[in-house]
Amino acid sequence: MLFIIGVVILAYCFPQLGSPSSPIPLDTIGSVGVSLIFFFYGLKLSPEKIQAGLQNWKLHSLIQLSTFLFFPLLMLLCYPLVHNTSYQALWLSFLFLAALPSTVSSSVVMVSIAKGNLPAAIFNASISGLIGIVITPLWMGLFLQQSGGDFDLSVVYIKLIAEILLPVGLGLFLQKYLGALAVRYGKQMTSFDKTIILLIIFKSFATSFENKVFSTVGLDELLLVSVGAIAVFYVMYYLTSWLSAYLGFSLEDQITAQFCGTKKSLVHGVVFSKILFPVSFPVGMILLPLMLFHAFQIFVVSIAASKLAQRD
């Protein structure tokens, strides 16, 4: 998070690097980097673990329904309040947040600390990103097509297939040959992932600063985004907790449902924003609720995980 703040400050100081005339081809570097991220993602996916994880279908169903259905439905409930108002673009950024997959690394780490169902966490965190490749564009297409932008779902899926799905498939194919190397150099791959994400964030915010997107954002709107991100998190956090208890899950499964079903991936958000939104869209503004939500979810869940770890 400190690096993200630093990158945003750099983008503010050097907004010209985000323009099309920039001497550094950030778009090309970002596209190649995204493909490599998902190639490494495929290398680290174990088909055996995915197959074994299919058995606990009630837990998996709740986590994926929470991630891809309950989150967006919560945003749709708010849509009548912002329809045809100046807040509609801001609402779209929250819908984007709601439609994203769950995190991978932080979900697994937090479940592990809290002594939850770790195999289920690994399965759901891994499969969530693959489901998101299909579901997230469908949710966004419902409203991006109405906005009058140059959104074309077929073009979006071609980009997703070329930059994400094919690299994942290639990684899965080579997993039995290179999977051990992926585990051995996991830290280096994670560092590479974060570097590419920071680069894309820099490009998004540099472009937004260059076009003076944030000049119209007042303190009241920033406060509204912050309160909205916190409110969305807590609604989903307690909803998944109640549903998992109602379904009679064990404590370990309740922890996994609550931690995995309420997370949203900053990595996927940054990558998808690059592909889903037309050039004319203020992507920096679209990412703002996601970055605030991401920081808050890690803060709250890490405290909860530490407390749960102390139980007998």
Side-chain angles (χ1 to χ4, degrees):
M1 290 310 300
L2 290 175
F3 274 110
I4 289 173
I5 293 169
V7 161
V8 172
I9 293 171
L10 278 175
Y12 179 78
C13 296
F14 303 101
Q16 67 276 10
L17 293 178
S19 67
S21 59
S22 171
I24 305 174
L26 294 180
D27 275 329
T28 303
I29 296 171
S31 294
V32 174
V34 164
S35 296
L36 287 173
I37 285 174
F38 281 90
F39 171 68
F40 296 149
Y41 179 69
L43 280 181
K44 290 182 281 188
L45 278 175
S46 171
E48 292 79 15
K49 288 182 179 178
I50 292 176
Q51 186 176 0
L54 287 170
Q55 298 172 0
N56 198 347
W57 64 271
K58 283 187 179 180
L59 174 58
H60 306 328
S61 298
L62 176 58
I63 291 173
Q64 300 308 324
L65 284 172
S66 174
T67 302
F68 293 111
L69 183 62
F70 300 157
F71 256 105
L73 287 179
L74 178 61
M75 292 300 101
L76 290 182
L77 290 175
C78 302
Y79 184 66
L81 301 175
V82 300
H83 185 50
N84 291 330
T85 71
S86 59
Y87 292 104
Q88 190 163 342
L90 190 61
W91 174 86
L92 190 65
S93 67
F94 273 93
L95 178 65
F96 178 59
L97 157 68
L100 287 170
S102 178
T103 59
V104 178
S105 57
S106 65
S107 292
V108 173
V109 169
M110 295 303 177
V111 169
S112 176
I113 292 172
K115 301 176 184 177
N117 187 334
L118 190 57
I122 294 170
F123 171 79
N124 281 281
S126 301
I127 208 71
S128 180
L130 299 179
I131 296 173
I133 294 173
V134 177
I135 300 298
T136 303
L138 288 177
W139 274 115
M140 299 311 299
L142 293 175
F143 293 91
L144 284 175
Q145 289 174 331
Q146 297 175 12
S147 67
D150 54 342
F151 182 85
D152 186 339
L153 197 59
S154 62
V155 173
V156 167
Y157 275 120
I158 289 171
K159 286 184 178 179
L160 286 170
I161 290 169
E163 293 190 19
I164 296 179
L165 203 57
L166 286 178
V168 169
L170 181 60
L172 279 168
F173 176 74
L174 296 175
Q175 198 270 341
K176 59 181 177 180
Y177 306 109
L178 301 176
L181 283 175
V183 173
R184 186 185 305 171
Y185 295 103
K187 289 183 179 179
Q188 288 83 350
M189 289 181 179
T190 300
S191 298
F192 175 81
D193 294 355
K194 291 178 179 178
T195 302
I196 295 298
I197 296 308
L198 290 172
L199 180 70
I200 296 174
I201 290 174
F202 173 83
K203 171 68 169 64
S204 301
F205 275 84
T207 303
S208 296
F209 287 132
E210 176 81 2
N211 297 327
K212 296 181 170 52
V213 169
F214 294 110
S215 61
T216 59
V217 180
L219 186 61
D220 55 337
E221 278 192 304
L222 185 60
L223 183 62
L224 181 64
V225 171
S226 303
V227 171
I230 293 171
V232 169
F233 173 80
Y234 273 121
V235 168
M236 294 305 304
Y237 191 71
Y238 287 114
L239 177 63
T240 51
S241 176
W242 179 81
L243 285 173
S244 58
Y246 177 79
L247 292 170
F249 288 175
S250 65
L251 178 58
E252 289 75 17
D253 284 357
Q254 287 184 41
I255 290 169
T256 304
Q258 195 171 22
F259 284 12
C260 293
T262 56
K263 295 287 192 68
K264 290 294 176 178
S265 172
L266 180 61
V267 173
H268 287 85
V270 173
V271 171
F272 284 10
S273 69
K274 183 178 179 297
I275 298 173
L276 289 175
F277 293 95
V279 177
S280 57
F281 262 74
V283 177
M285 189 65 193
I286 289 292
L287 290 176
L288 187 59
L290 174 60
M291 291 196 295
L292 292 172
F293 182 93
H294 180 77
F296 189 74
Q297 72 180 8
I298 290 176
F299 175 73
V300 172
V301 175
S302 62
I303 293 174
S306 298
K307 289 182 178 179
L308 285 165
Q310 297 172 6
R311 73 182 188 278
D312 294 333

